Amino acid sequence: MSKGTLYGIGVGPGDPELLTLKAVRLIQQVDVICYLTNAEDETRIVGDTHNEGHSQARTIASEFIDMRAKKAEELKIPMTYSQNRLTANGNYDFAAHKISKHLDQGKDVAFICEGDPLFFGSYAYLQERLCEKHTCISVPGICSPNAAGAAAGIPLAMQNESYAVLSGRSTDQELSLQLKQFDNLVIMKAGRSRSAILNTLKRTERFDDAVYVEYATRSNQKIVPDLTLLDDEPGPYFSLFIVSPHIGKRKWA
Amino acid sequence: MSKGTLYGIGVGPGDPELLTLKAVRLIQQVDVICYLTNAEDETRIVGDTHNEGHSQARTIASEFIDMRAKKAEELKIPMTYSQNRLTANGNYDFAAHKISKHLDQGKDVAFICEGDPLFFGSYAYLQERLCEKHTCISVPGICSPNAAGAAAGIPLAMQNESYAVLSGRSTDQELSLQLKQFDNLVIMKAGRSRSAILNTLKRTERFDDAVYVEYATRSNQKIVPDLTLLDDEPGPYFSLFIVSPHIGKRKWA
């Protein structure tokens, strides 16, 4: 019996219309749809309001899963987004083991994840565990910087400019350095460190170059061009700053 | 009469299946499809084999344009990709003028471009000319770094890593600096400077961390994991290097 294929499929930032045709076709075609779910109430960690068993990727792709002619098997992988790498690695080992069982049975599996599967995506951890023994194919998705840039109407890069993406968990020193060196930057997962990032933006004189975006393309999307309106509270996990010389020109329709 | 809306639509890197559902819907819905075409034989500049009047974006989206129930008007904007900004600005002024005429007549216009409209995309130049007087909406597309990462199976960033995108036209000094500072990098438009970039990769000890990709997701896609196989000839415009610590692990199925 020939083995199945694992597809790592990006379902984009939130708006179901931002799935690619390829993502939709594969979601409708495979034998098993696999995704991570919150193992416990993760509100504290991701600043989100969803509870145990929730999967944001499943929610984004739900109309395409539910409209399938033939119901797909669904494989839910409970995942604690622990900062502890040992725990996280154990979770991914378990997930890879479950998926490989399906692949060995000749079933094609779609692992769906938000954004792009290989851009800060959890799929990378499964691919590295499975790609030696199984065929793994990635389907790129719209990632949140591009979604946020489009939502706010801000070019992320033009001509020969440079562009960097940093985590909101970067050190202040690292952020400061790159805010001075790069024309355009996106600071992802900015919520928890929001007030620290605001201070760094001020100190590096990029405060007027920046826009804050939460939940790009989702129904609760929020775009804040005037950063003085942000209070000192932490924001949600799905939040970012775009920093760009092109923002000045647009402040603000 | 109410005015039309300008949609800046990313049609992705080349594979028509990588259009989003939203891009397809809008392409089928608008009154006018607008795109740039080569003003003259640009072979020298883009290292491509296409001639006058060709539009790569039109080619990628062609099945969706041609299958429309009602034929759309097509607005072709001849564009010389001149390094001279004055010439380029004149071209964009002309394009914006033509588009605004349609918008004033209440027609919706889709400006289609490869990749993502605001990530090194020509749409940014039209938006900045038109957004004060007209409604401009961007639809993000899959950009070439994500497409290339997926094609080569390489994570562009994991966890709290940093990620930078640089132009192949960056100075050697700039490239060297960022190759030392960033975990993951994509060097775009790498073809013309290919042998210079290869030398910089060697000097910064990132040569074994790098993969070269041409025409990601197109029928002539080429992935070169072993950089010693690249000769000293320039490559095409649509080529890039991915530099990532995750490449070592994958060298090479």
Side-chain angles (χ1 to χ4, degrees):
Chain A
M1 182 176 62
S2 70
K3 283 186 172 191
T5 296
L6 173 63
Y7 297 96
I9 297 181
V11 298
D15 177 353
E17 253 203 312
L18 291 178
L19 265 82
T20 64
L21 301 175
K22 189 167 189 176
V24 171
R25 174 175 62 80
L26 288 168
I27 285 169
Q28 304 215 315
Q29 202 170 291
V30 294
D31 306 293
V32 181
I33 310 269
C34 178
Y35 46 86
L36 306 183
T37 62
N38 292 344
E40 50 187 72
D41 188 308
E42 297 273 326
T43 311
R44 286 169 304 109
I45 293 170
V46 302
D48 218 329
T49 53
H50 300 301
N51 296 329
E52 192 170 336
H54 180 79
S55 158
Q56 191 58 42
R58 172 68 173 84
T59 302
I60 295 170
S62 62
E63 64 186 277
F64 311 109
I65 297 172
D66 297 340
M67 70 166 40
R68 285 172 55 113
K70 195 184 148 205
K71 219 164 167 257
E73 202 170 331
E74 296 194 38
L75 173 59
K76 302 178 193 188
I77 313 273
M79 183 68 61
T80 305
Y81 294 94
S82 172
Q83 292 303 304
N84 179 336
R85 290 315 296 161
L86 262 184
T87 312
N89 281 332
N91 284 334
Y92 287 120
D93 288 343
F94 174 76
H97 174 72
K98 296 271 263 184
I99 291 170
S100 70
K101 276 187 163 178
H102 286 285
L103 298 172
D104 285 336
Q105 288 167 26
K107 292 179 186 166
D108 290 335
V109 178
F111 180 83
I112 55 174
C113 51
E114 295 162 73
D116 181 283
L118 293 173
F119 189 75
F120 297 103
S122 43
Y123 172 69
Y125 301 97
L126 299 172
Q127 177 188 267
E128 71 182 19
R129 285 164 170 79
L130 291 164
C131 72
E132 269 179 45
K133 294 200 177 158
H134 300 277
T135 305
C136 297
I137 293 174
S138 297
V139 180
I142 304 290
C143 54
S144 58
N146 296 70
I154 300 165
L156 296 180
M158 291 170 79
Q159 284 285 107
N160 297 340
E161 292 175 351
S162 57
Y163 168 75
V165 177
L166 297 172
S167 163
R169 291 173 190 155
S170 307
T171 62
D172 178 61
Q173 195 189 3
E174 206 177 330
L175 266 186
S176 300
L177 178 68
Q178 304 310 349
L179 282 164
K180 286 174 200 158
Q181 290 185 352
F182 277 78
D183 303 306
N184 306 276
L185 296 98
V186 170
I187 307 168
M188 304 206 10
K189 305 173 196 168
R192 290 189 92 194
S193 324
R194 202 167 73 184
S195 60
I197 295 169
L198 287 169
N199 284 330
T200 310
L201 289 170
K202 277 179 199 158
R203 221 175 33 251
T204 53
E205 299 184 1
R206 302 293 309 258
F207 192 80
D208 293 329
D209 270 0
V211 163
Y212 173 78
V213 182
E214 275 179 17
Y215 298 112
T217 83
R218 298 190 191 171
S219 59
N220 52 349
Q221 170 182 295
K222 195 164 103 178
I223 300 175
V224 184
D226 179 359
L227 300 190
T228 62
L229 299 177
L230 290 174
D231 56 31
D232 275 345
E233 296 301 301
Y237 180 87
F238 291 107
S239 59
L240 53 79
F241 286 94
I242 305 176
V243 188
S244 158
H246 310 297
I247 286 178
K249 298 185 196 156
R250 264 187 83 77
K251 289 245 179 181
W252 199 261
Chain B
M1 182 176 60
S2 70
K3 284 188 173 190
T5 296
L6 173 62
Y7 296 97
I9 298 180
V11 298
D15 176 354
E17 253 203 313
L18 291 179
L19 266 81
T20 64
L21 301 175
K22 189 167 189 176
V24 171
R25 174 174 62 80
L26 288 168
I27 285 169
Q28 303 214 316
Q29 204 170 292
V30 294
D31 306 293
V32 181
I33 310 268
C34 177
Y35 45 88
L36 306 182
T37 62
N38 293 342
E40 50 188 72
D41 188 309
E42 296 274 326
T43 311
R44 287 170 304 110
I45 293 169
V46 302
D48 218 329
T49 52
H50 300 301
N51 296 331
E52 193 170 337
H54 180 80
S55 158
Q56 191 58 41
R58 173 68 172 84
T59 302
I60 294 169
S62 61
E63 64 186 278
F64 311 109
I65 297 172
D66 297 340
M67 70 166 40
R68 284 172 56 113
K70 195 184 148 206
K71 219 163 168 260
E73 204 171 331
E74 295 195 37
L75 173 60
K76 301 177 192 190
I77 313 273
M79 183 66 60
T80 306
Y81 294 94
S82 171
Q83 291 304 304
N84 179 336
R85 290 314 298 162
L86 262 186
T87 313
N89 281 333
N91 284 334
Y92 287 119
D93 288 342
F94 174 75
H97 175 70
K98 296 271 262 184
I99 290 170
S100 70
K101 276 188 163 178
H102 287 284
L103 298 173
D104 284 336
Q105 288 167 25
K107 292 180 187 166
D108 290 334
V109 178
F111 180 83
I112 54 174
C113 51
E114 296 162 73
D116 181 282
L118 293 173
F119 189 75
F120 297 103
S122 42
Y123 171 69
Y125 300 97
L126 299 172
Q127 177 189 267
E128 71 182 20
R129 285 165 171 78
L130 291 163
C131 72
E132 268 179 47
K133 294 201 178 159
H134 300 277
T135 305
C136 297
I137 293 174
S138 297
V139 180
I142 304 290
C143 53
S144 58
N146 296 70
I154 299 165
L156 296 180
M158 291 169 79
Q159 284 285 106
N160 296 340
E161 291 175 353
S162 57
Y163 168 76
V165 177
L166 297 172
S167 162
R169 292 174 190 154
S170 307
T171 63
D172 178 61
Q173 195 188 5
E174 205 177 331
L175 265 186
S176 301
L177 177 68
Q178 304 310 350
L179 282 165
K180 286 174 200 158
Q181 290 185 353
F182 276 78
D183 303 306
N184 306 277
L185 295 99
V186 170
I187 306 168
M188 304 210 5
K189 306 173 194 167
R192 289 189 92 193
S193 325
R194 201 166 73 183
S195 58
I197 295 169
L198 287 170
N199 284 331
T200 309
L201 289 170
K202 277 180 198 156
R203 222 176 30 250
T204 52
E205 299 185 0
R206 301 295 307 259
F207 192 79
D208 294 328
D209 270 0
V211 163
Y212 173 77
V213 181
E214 274 178 19
Y215 297 112
T217 83
R218 298 191 190 169
S219 58
N220 52 349
Q221 170 181 293
K222 196 163 103 179
I223 299 175
V224 184
D226 179 359
L227 301 189
T228 62
L229 298 176
L230 290 175
D231 56 31
D232 276 344
E233 297 300 303
Y237 180 86
F238 291 107
S239 57
L240 53 80
F241 286 94
I242 305 176
V243 188
S244 159
H246 310 295
I247 286 177
K249 297 184 197 157
R250 263 188 83 76
K251 289 250 178 177
W252 198 261

